[in-house]
């Protein structure tokens, strides 16, 4: 009896099993990477959306559109809190790379400063420099997010 056919069959089985395991490992790794990318993208969208919502709600407060039961400072704080900016920031801290975390934190802090200026009763003429600083930080955040997601180029300037 010849051992060559038995050895060839065994070798073929080992090669087939090994290649199947390698392909499965590569697929699993790709799926994990894709899930992390989607989780970060969702967190980025939530963060940018909450920053936008807070900015719009605080702009309404600056125009006097808030409940007469509240002081302007309380209305500005309520608008900021209702937008979920802090929760979105925490998602970024958990999921994003350091460059995005830093950019998100700077945008968060400048928006919070804007909230305080609006709450103190300042009009657009007085708080416009703070609004411009927030716009710069928001632009930096957008660029950091695009870089992390692998989008080529920077975000074109989009006014608030």
């Amino acid at each position: 009896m010849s051992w060559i056919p038995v050895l060839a069959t065994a070798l073929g089985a080992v090669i087939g099993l090994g290649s199947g395991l390698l392909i499965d490992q590569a697929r699993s790794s790709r799926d994990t990477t894709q899930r992390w990318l989607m989780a970060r993208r969702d967190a980025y969208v939530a963060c940018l959306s909450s920053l936008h919502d807070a900015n719009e709600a605080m702009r309404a407060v600056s125009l006097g559109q808030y409940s007469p039961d509240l002081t302007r400072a309380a209305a500005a704080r309520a608008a900021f809190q209702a937008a979920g900016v802090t929760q979105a920031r925490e998602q970024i801290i958990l999921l994003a790379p350091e460059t995005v975390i830093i950019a998100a934190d700077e945008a968060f802090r400048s928006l919070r400063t804007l909230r305080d200026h609006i709450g103190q009763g300042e009009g657009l003429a007085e708080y416009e420099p703070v609004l411009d600083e927030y716009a710069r930080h928001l632009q930096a955040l957008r660029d950091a997010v695009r870089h992390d997601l692998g989008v080529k180029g920077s975000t074109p300037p989009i006014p608030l």
Side-chain angles (χ1 to χ4, degrees):
M1 176 168 139
S2 173
W3 287 97
I4 293 176
V6 173
L7 288 175
T9 302
L11 181 61
V14 168
I15 290 172
L17 191 60
S19 66
L21 288 173
L22 282 174
I23 290 170
D24 202 37
Q25 176 65 30
R27 184 179 300 127
S28 175
S29 177
R30 185 186 69 233
D31 290 348
T32 300
T33 300
Q34 204 57 17
R35 281 193 302 273
W36 270 104
L37 182 65
M38 289 174 61
R40 286 196 323 271
R41 185 196 64 211
D42 291 346
Y44 297 158
V45 168
C47 181
L48 290 166
S49 295
S50 68
L51 289 168
H52 174 71
D53 291 347
N55 181 46
E56 287 300 312
M58 291 186 313
R59 183 176 300 190
V61 170
S62 77
L63 296 172
Q65 300 171 3
Y66 58 92
S67 172
D69 298 341
L70 297 173
T71 65
R72 186 168 164 146
R77 286 186 175 281
F80 188 86
Q81 290 171 349
V85 179
T86 304
Q87 294 86 347
R89 179 182 181 220
E90 290 299 322
Q91 283 185 327
I92 296 295
I93 291 169
L94 291 174
L95 297 174
E98 186 176 358
T99 54
V100 176
I101 293 171
I102 291 169
D105 187 57
E106 288 173 347
F108 172 85
R109 290 177 187 278
S110 63
L111 186 63
R112 193 172 57 189
T113 299
L114 180 62
R115 174 202 68 195
D116 295 343
H117 282 264
I118 290 171
Q120 293 169 5
E122 293 181 11
L124 179 60
E126 291 98 7
Y127 72 73
E128 192 166 22
V130 179
L131 184 62
D132 290 342
E133 180 182 349
Y134 167 65
R136 283 191 302 277
H137 287 137
L138 185 61
Q139 184 72 28
L141 173 58
R142 288 176 180 146
D143 288 342
V145 164
R146 289 172 59 88
H147 181 267
D148 182 49
L149 295 177
V151 178
K152 302 292 183 207
S154 62
T155 310
I158 299 173
L160 292 175

